[in-house]
Amino acid sequence: MSKSLVIIALDWDAFYCSVEEHFNPELKKIAFAVKQKGIICTCNYVARARGVKKLQMLVDAVKQFPDLVIVNGEDLSRYRDASKELWYFVRDMVWGGKVERLGFDELFLDVTEMIDYNIALLDNLHASGVSQRSVDSAPFFFRMSKEDESVGFSCPLSSVAGNLATGSLPENFEGDNLRLVLGSHVCHYIRSQILDIKGYTSSGGVSINKTLAKMAGAAHKPNQQTVLFPEFAQDFLDAFDIGRIPWIGHRSKSIILDAIYKGSDGVNDTPEEDRDSTVFTVRHLANKHIFVNSLGQSSGEKLWDLLHGIDHSVVQPTSDIPTQISIEDTFKSLTSLIEVHNVLSRLSHSLLERVQVDLMDSNGDWLGHPRTMRLTTRTRSSGYGSRISRSDSLPAIVFSSSHTSDYIVDYLVDRCWMPLFSKLIGDAKAFDIVLLNVAVVNIEKAPAKSSDITAFFGKKKPNDNDHLQDVHIEEPVHKRAKVVGEYAKSEFSDGLAEDEEDVVSEDDSCDEVCVVCGQRMMSFALEAHMRFHDFGE
């Protein structure tokens, strides 16, 4: 019989606010919120205690709480950097670097190998003649390193660190249960190290797969952790609305409920407010066949399994090298080439900075080489989820050490982005652009240390735009903007109507996918985005 995995889910508490408090500790004492465009994307716990809500419209929050301090969160630089710093820190503690980064504020850790190793140490103690009772009653030293026996911590084997998801304990701490007991102490140790050394609090969940660990971790927050033993998993899940289960979004939930509440005549007579959508009810009214017929083979089987606490997805260690880097902004309207040119110049400066930060080490050596550049637009008439892109080979001048950043940006805008934009709009005499995205993609790992990678690109001319191809994509939203700090009334004139809900984010922070239009976004923005579909269509 195979042993279960031991998965830890970590979630940084009010991450944007924690980052701001890290740079400005005085913020810990006052109620403040972080805004992006026209909404409150998050707020600290002082503000939450007073009634400030995430996803409130900014104008409403300021009217309701006049003394609420607003921090501009549209520049994601410090959030991205802090997120990566914490990810690297945690990864160094987990054997094999089995840490998956999800967005800015979530990590999945597979600590199975570490648990197996320490369980073997326990077995060796038993084999050497030490009684089970003696081992269980004495503190056990959990080794965090195979090479250095002094690295680790002492923990009891007779109690769980943190909360229980159901309030019940297993009859015994043996087998997989003992593995999760040890996992709970590993989680507590890692969270303590994060707080003591990095200064950030986190919430944690421990269970046998990613979904159960993630949901357990959300049960007690902030700065707490929760263990979910497999024998109690179904009881734990049954109390939740199916929309709370990861991967079951608004659209999928609606399809499932339509299928199970449909009468024999094919008509759904049950009002939405009367539909019981708890996991318990859905499991008993539906079956796998209904899920597969409604959602397709792959999605149907996966979502049906999730309702039963089954998740076969594995922790995928996040690579040091991103697969793409892109910068994006949304607008009320861009109708002239001059406006487009100016925006592309600003975005290109941010993109170039991101490329240098993310793809160069401290010695100035390139870690990765993007091969392709891509320009993406969305017009007002095309609708929310519709984007069109064109791409071309990335010119080697991007990596030149002999040109200034201003020169490189001017080159990119005049010889690359603007020609691509002309291809995108075609023969249109007029245009109305509401989104622009510049990106470098097809990033390959550098073959060897090299501060000059021009040779990597061969003899291709940097301004060769002859081989363009259309790529229809749906990307996350990005922006690099100056941090304004505290709220000023003039910020309402940022180019968006007050009722628009565009939120600033970027590639490595987008962990949610809208099941209606396919748009990727950060988890905090999904609820507001779904309201867009509910009331805007």
Side-chain angles (χ1 to χ4, degrees):
M1 181 177 179
S2 62
K3 299 175 182 178
S4 66
L5 300 176
V6 181
I7 305 298
I8 296 173
L10 290 182
D11 184 358
W12 314 127
D13 296 323
F15 181 60
Y16 280 22
C17 291
S18 296
V19 174
E20 296 296 342
E21 290 171 352
H22 183 80
F23 285 96
N24 183 5
E26 290 298 315
L27 289 173
K28 295 180 180 181
K29 306 174 184 178
I30 61 176
F32 80 94
V34 177
K35 74 103 175 178
Q36 290 184 349
K37 295 292 188 182
I39 69 170
I40 299 296
C41 64
T42 191
C43 53
N44 68 348
Y45 289 101
V46 177
R48 295 182 193 190
R50 293 181 52 189
V52 182
K53 303 294 184 182
K54 292 194 298 183
L55 301 180
Q56 268 188 289
M57 298 305 299
L58 181 60
V59 62
D60 295 335
V62 173
K63 286 180 180 178
Q64 189 175 0
F65 307 98
D67 59 340
L68 180 68
V69 173
I70 305 297
V71 176
N72 189 337
E74 293 177 4
D75 186 328
L76 302 176
S77 303
R78 58 174 52 179
Y79 310 133
R80 183 185 65 250
D81 294 344
S83 174
K84 289 184 177 179
E85 178 184 353
L86 292 171
W87 164 51
Y88 287 137
F89 182 75
V90 173
R91 191 178 66 174
D92 286 344
M93 288 187 278
V94 178
W95 295 358
K98 294 180 180 179
V99 178
E100 180 178 349
R101 184 164 167 252
L102 183 63
F104 277 177
D105 61 349
E106 290 187 73
L107 297 177
F108 285 112
L109 291 58
D110 185 342
V111 297
T112 306
E113 182 183 355
M114 303 170 71
I115 299 297
D116 288 344
Y117 180 83
N118 281 273
I119 289 288
L121 295 179
L122 276 172
D123 292 340
N124 290 338
L125 287 175
H126 296 152
S128 65
V130 180
S131 69
Q132 176 83 38
R133 178 173 298 180
S134 298
V135 172
D136 292 346
S137 59
F140 172 69
F141 187 80
F142 189 99
R143 293 189 189 176
M144 293 291 290
S145 170
K146 293 180 182 179
E147 293 75 26
D148 188 345
E149 296 182 0
S150 66
V151 178
F153 58 92
S154 294
C155 63
L157 299 177
S158 57
S159 62
V160 171
N163 304 287
L164 297 171
T166 60
S168 301
L169 280 171
E171 292 184 2
N172 60 73
F173 285 170
E174 298 176 359
D176 285 346
N177 289 340
L178 177 59
R179 297 163 65 78
L180 289 180
V181 170
L182 287 175
S184 74
H185 293 295
V186 173
C187 182
H188 181 268
Y189 174 80
I190 291 176
R191 291 178 53 247
S192 298
Q193 292 291 299
I194 296 168
L195 178 59
D196 293 344
I197 298 176
K198 295 298 181 180
Y200 287 88
T201 65
S202 59
S203 298
V206 184
S207 197
I208 60 172
N209 61 48
K210 291 166 67 174
T211 294
L212 294 180
K214 179 179 173 69
M215 296 197 66
H220 297 92
K221 300 176 72 173
N223 197 25
Q224 299 185 66
Q225 67 177 62
T226 304
V227 182
L228 177 55
F229 291 96
E231 61 192 273
F232 303 120
Q234 195 62 69
D235 290 340
F236 175 72
L237 293 177
D238 277 349
F240 286 96
D241 185 282
I242 63 171
R244 293 284 304 280
I245 306 296
W247 297 102
I248 300 182
H250 180 85
R251 180 66 173 167
S252 298
K253 174 183 174 179
S254 178
I255 291 173
I256 292 168
L257 295 182
D258 284 345
I260 65 177
Y261 283 102
K262 187 179 297 182
S264 57
D265 57 357
V267 178
N268 195 325
D269 295 324
T270 307
E272 288 193 16
E273 61 270 17
D274 294 334
R275 298 176 177 181
D276 186 342
S277 56
T278 61
V279 171
F280 177 85
T281 299
V282 171
R283 285 197 308 111
H284 286 80
L285 291 181
N287 53 49
K288 183 180 289 190
H289 180 73
I290 291 177
F291 269 57
V292 169
N293 279 351
S294 303
L295 299 168
Q297 187 75 30
S298 178
S299 295
E301 289 184 352
K302 177 174 182 173
L303 298 192
W304 179 254
D305 283 347
L306 291 179
L307 295 188
H308 295 80
I310 301 170
D311 181 4
H312 299 294
S313 62
V314 299
V315 171
Q316 299 282 0
T318 302
S319 171
D320 286 317
I321 306 298
T323 58
Q324 68 176 32
I325 300 173
S326 66
I327 304 294
E328 179 175 292
D329 201 1
T330 53
F331 315 93
K332 188 173 184 180
S333 182
L334 294 179
T335 57
S336 72
L337 291 176
I338 292 297
E339 290 176 312
V340 171
H341 187 283
N342 291 339
V343 170
L344 288 174
S345 179
R346 173 170 59 83
L347 296 181
S348 295
H349 272 288
S350 295
L351 180 64
L352 186 60
E353 179 185 344
R354 279 280 313 273
V355 167
Q356 293 169 346
V357 169
D358 290 356
L359 298 182
M360 292 182 72
D361 63 17
S362 57
N363 297 319
D365 295 318
W366 289 99
L367 302 174
H369 304 152
R371 301 302 300 266
T372 307
M373 62 188 303
R374 185 183 64 206
L375 177 65
T376 302
T377 63
R378 186 175 77 227
T379 62
R380 182 167 301 281
S381 60
S382 64
Y384 189 84
S386 177
R387 301 184 180 203
I388 300 177
S389 301
R390 282 191 180 267
S391 59
D392 191 20
S393 297
L394 183 69
I397 194 174
V398 169
F399 304 94
S400 171
S401 59
S402 59
H403 294 89
T404 66
S405 295
D406 288 342
Y407 180 89
I408 296 172
V409 166
D410 289 342
Y411 185 99
L412 286 174
V413 174
D414 293 335
R415 302 196 188 187
C416 301
W417 296 130
M418 290 306 292
L420 283 173
F421 182 76
S422 296
K423 295 286 186 179
L424 281 170
I425 64 174
D427 297 328
K429 301 296 184 183
F431 54 84
D432 190 354
I433 302 296
V434 295
L435 174 148
L436 280 175
N437 174 294
V438 294
V440 293
V441 299
N442 297 331
I443 301 176
E444 300 178 4
K445 187 176 181 180
K449 283 189 175 182
S450 173
S451 59
D452 181 5
I453 65 167
T454 305
F456 179 79
F457 293 87
K459 298 181 179 180
K460 180 174 176 60
K461 295 179 180 179
N463 61 342
D464 181 4
N465 289 307
D466 294 334
H467 303 289
L468 299 168
Q469 53 183 327
D470 285 320
V471 183
H472 295 271
I473 58 170
E474 291 167 350
E475 292 280 331
V477 182
H478 314 265
K479 182 175 178 181
R480 293 289 295 278
K482 293 182 179 178
V483 176
V484 177
E486 296 189 4
Y487 171 75
K489 289 185 178 180
S490 61
E491 290 180 13
F492 274 122
S493 58
D494 61 0
L496 279 183
E498 292 177 7
D499 60 348
E500 289 193 52
E501 296 177 338
D502 281 330
V503 178
V504 177
S505 60
E506 62 180 76
D507 294 345
D508 44 11
S509 67
C510 298
D511 56 337
E512 300 284 0
V513 179
C514 173
V515 295
V516 179
C517 67
Q519 177 79 6
R520 294 184 62 216
M521 64 198 72
M522 288 183 286
S523 56
F524 74 76
L526 186 59
E527 181 178 340
H529 177 70
M530 293 315 302
R531 291 203 303 267
F532 167 84
H533 289 297
D534 289 341
F535 303 114
E537 296 184 337

